Amino acid sequence: MAHDLTTRIDGLFFGRVENRWEGRDPSAIGKTAVTGRRVIEENGFVEDAQADLVHHGGRDKAIHHYAADHYPDWIAEGAIPEGTRPAAFGENISTCGMTEETVCIGDILKLGMATVQISQGRQPCWKVAEHTTNPRMAALFTKSGRTGWYYRVLENGTAGVGDEVRLLERLHPRWSVKRVTLGRLTRRVSPQDAEVLAHMPELAEGWRSAFAKMAAGDRGEDTSKRLNG
């Protein structure tokens, strides 16, 4: 994989907590485009909100980056309607030219004036299905590996549309976000690989724990609450 990856922020999106669906948990997955320079601190963009801080946000999931490159595929496959534009999946950042196949766990990047590190892929939940009005969307994310990825913030700063996103350092060139995310979501990973990932300090703690269980032979996981709410 190339180590000179560079792209620019095409879209920046923030959300607020809303009660979207009667009888179900609130969500901030509905993001709208913002302009100007925006402040990034330890927990991400200070003006963005998360409704469920147990499963969304926090240090290891401070900012969600999604490749706009995937939208034509989703449209061609009939998963989302023609004309659907970025932020349909609740992402904070949209770019072209970086995908789960070209970035790796532990990658350190310059994001505008901030410095960030890729911590994990996204575990899709029922909210992405509700938000896109496609009941199969979470399953399609899982199957495809086109989930986007999360950053932890290493150095606070600011970022805005048009700013550069540039790879500074690659620590784990064998472990693309797609490879690790598919291993985590499908649990089809060798004990040896699971053992490596369980001890990878740059990987988010929750994912390290999950891979530690897989390395020990425990492949069971109840995903019903995450996928069904």
Side-chain angles (χ1 to χ4, degrees):
M1 295 180 188
H3 286 225
D4 60 350
L5 274 177
T6 303
T7 186
R8 294 195 177 275
I9 298 173
D10 294 326
L12 197 61
F13 309 96
F14 296 167
R16 59 188 179 86
V17 177
E18 299 176 288
N19 288 297
R20 298 276 306 279
W21 307 289
E22 185 176 355
R24 309 198 77 170
D25 292 339
S27 175
I29 194 173
K31 309 289 186 187
T32 55
V34 299
T35 58
R37 304 205 60 76
R38 303 296 173 134
V39 176
I40 298 171
E41 295 185 350
E42 181 179 4
N43 290 320
F45 288 99
V46 296
E47 298 167 85
D48 186 46
Q50 293 87 29
D52 176 5
L53 292 175
V54 173
H55 299 103
H56 304 98
R59 183 174 182 273
D60 280 341
K61 291 178 283 188
I63 298 169
H64 183 240
H65 185 158
Y66 198 78
D69 313 60
H70 296 323
Y71 276 78
D73 293 327
W74 289 125
I75 291 169
E77 293 161 10
I80 54 177
E82 188 77 35
T84 301
R85 305 179 70 83
F89 303 124
E91 61 264 38
N92 296 121
I93 292 173
S94 177
T95 64
C96 288
M98 287 183 178
T99 71
E100 297 81 0
E101 294 180 321
T102 63
V103 297
C104 297
I105 298 298
D107 277 0
I108 297 172
L109 302 98
K110 201 70 177 176
L111 179 66
M113 300 302 293
T115 305
V116 297
Q117 182 175 48
I118 297 178
S119 54
Q120 65 169 75
R122 178 178 178 178
Q123 276 182 280
C125 71
W126 61 270
K127 292 178 182 179
V128 75
E130 291 283 357
H131 185 58
T132 59
T133 67
N134 181 342
R136 297 188 63 243
M137 203 69 230
L140 293 172
F141 260 44
T142 298
K143 182 179 179 181
S144 68
R146 302 193 301 244
T147 68
W149 55 91
Y150 283 106
Y151 294 121
R152 65 172 62 90
V153 178
L154 301 183
E155 294 181 8
N156 296 354
T158 60
V161 174
D163 279 2
E164 187 176 75
V165 184
R166 175 167 51 92
L167 177 64
L168 299 177
E169 186 176 0
R170 173 152 290 170
L171 305 178
H172 303 291
R174 293 182 56 241
W175 299 100
S176 71
V177 167
K178 184 170 185 177
R179 180 184 181 190
V180 176
T181 300
L182 285 174
R184 172 66 187 93
L185 298 182
T186 67
R187 299 179 293 284
R188 291 195 290 270
V189 59
S190 73
Q192 295 80 12
D193 284 352
E195 184 70 21
V196 171
L197 292 165
H199 292 90
M200 184 179 289
E202 296 80 15
L203 187 62
E205 181 180 358
W207 281 34
R208 293 200 311 270
S209 298
F211 281 116
K213 292 179 181 178
M214 295 181 211
D218 181 2
R219 301 300 173 109
E221 183 178 21
D222 183 1
T223 60
S224 58
K225 184 173 183 181
R226 173 169 62 84
L227 296 178
N228 301 320

